Amino acid sequence: MSRILVLYASTHGHVAKIADRLAGSMRSAGAEPDLIRAGAEDPDPASYDAVVVAASLHKAKHQDEVVEWASAHSEALDSMPTAFISVSLTAAEDSDESRKRTQACVDDFVGETGWTPGRVERLAGALQYREYDPFTRALVRLLMKRGGHPTDTSRDHDFTDWDEVGRLGAELAALPAEAR
Ligand SMILES: Cc1cc2nc3c(=O)[nH]c(=O)nc-3n(C[C@H](O)[C@H](O)[C@H](O)COP(=O)(O)O)c2cc1C
């Protein structure tokens, strides 16, 4: 059975849910995922057949703990099957401009870490107004208002296509085999 490291960072919990769903569908597809939160441990990529890293964008940057881990292990990561999943709100928008903005942040991540993921996926995240502290809630609401996005802070707004996440998990379960 292929062992796959699923390392993730999540500021308000949404990527944690995505990583959990990915791991679930990898398991159903016959792989053995190891779900680890970045910063909690320092897993060695060499102990796995493939590595999937998931993080979200906050102020145009992916979480520091993922950048630090990927930088420290970039050489090992470049020599094995890998995927990077970038979760953001720009990925929820269907325009060339938003695709360019998301791609620029992924390019920054690659430049900063020195790791070139074998596969990159951009997934739409969520607006989790109920998880934010009052300052963040007001700030995000203002930004969303300017962009014509949801401003109802009494509930969360989930833009993730969960069927897509399930399909992606099944595909990523085959990452080690693709490399053979
Ligand atoms: C303070 C803040 C800043 C954000 N900045 C960006 C951003 O620059 N670009 C973007 O596309 N999404 C941005 N987002 C949206 C997050 O990427 C999205 O909410 C994601 O689902 C968060 O996942 P997490 O809860 O696992 O961290 C931001 C969200 C917050 C709360």
Side-chain angles (χ1 to χ4, degrees):
M1 209 185 261
S2 300
R3 288 195 73 211
I4 303 179
L5 171 63
V6 181
L7 185 99
Y8 70 93
S10 184
T11 306
H12 296 106
H14 197 69
V15 177
K17 284 189 215 159
I18 289 178
D20 194 53
R21 177 69 66 93
L22 285 172
S25 58
M26 283 178 187
R27 221 170 276 122
S28 306
E32 193 187 327
D34 203 0
L35 191 59
I36 295 182
R37 192 174 190 124
E41 286 174 48
D42 178 19
D44 180 2
S47 311
Y48 298 90
D49 301 305
V51 173
V52 174
V53 174
S56 53
L57 277 178
H58 290 266
K59 297 179 188 151
K61 276 184 67 74
H62 295 93
Q63 283 91 347
D64 287 345
E65 56 269 37
V66 157
V67 173
E68 280 161 23
W69 183 84
S71 306
H73 297 284
S74 61
E75 221 172 290
L77 291 171
D78 273 339
S79 67
M80 64 189 298
T82 59
F84 177 55
I85 297 169
S86 170
V87 177
S88 66
L89 286 180
T90 44
E93 292 170 31
D94 184 20
S95 71
D96 287 343
E97 175 55 28
S98 63
R99 274 186 284 278
K100 247 189 244 168
R101 290 217 314 266
T102 322
Q103 186 59 47
C105 297
V106 171
D107 291 346
D108 285 349
F109 176 83
V110 170
E112 230 180 310
T113 60
W115 164 45
T116 305
R119 176 171 175 170
V120 174
E121 295 292 332
R122 294 159 205 85
L123 295 183
L127 271 173
Q128 296 143 278
Y129 283 123
R130 289 181 308 174
E131 305 294 326
Y132 305 153
D133 59 65
F135 176 78
T136 306
R137 190 178 302 124
L139 175 75
V140 173
R141 188 181 185 279
L142 186 70
L143 293 172
M144 291 303 117
K145 195 171 181 190
R146 280 191 197 145
H149 301 298
T151 53
D152 177 359
T153 57
S154 67
R155 66 179 193 89
D156 296 341
H157 304 266
D158 188 346
F159 304 105
T160 304
D161 179 340
W162 291 99
D163 290 339
E164 184 190 358
V165 177
R167 281 194 298 275
L168 183 59
E171 281 177 35
L172 294 176
L175 256 189
E178 280 170 20
R180 278 179 207 130

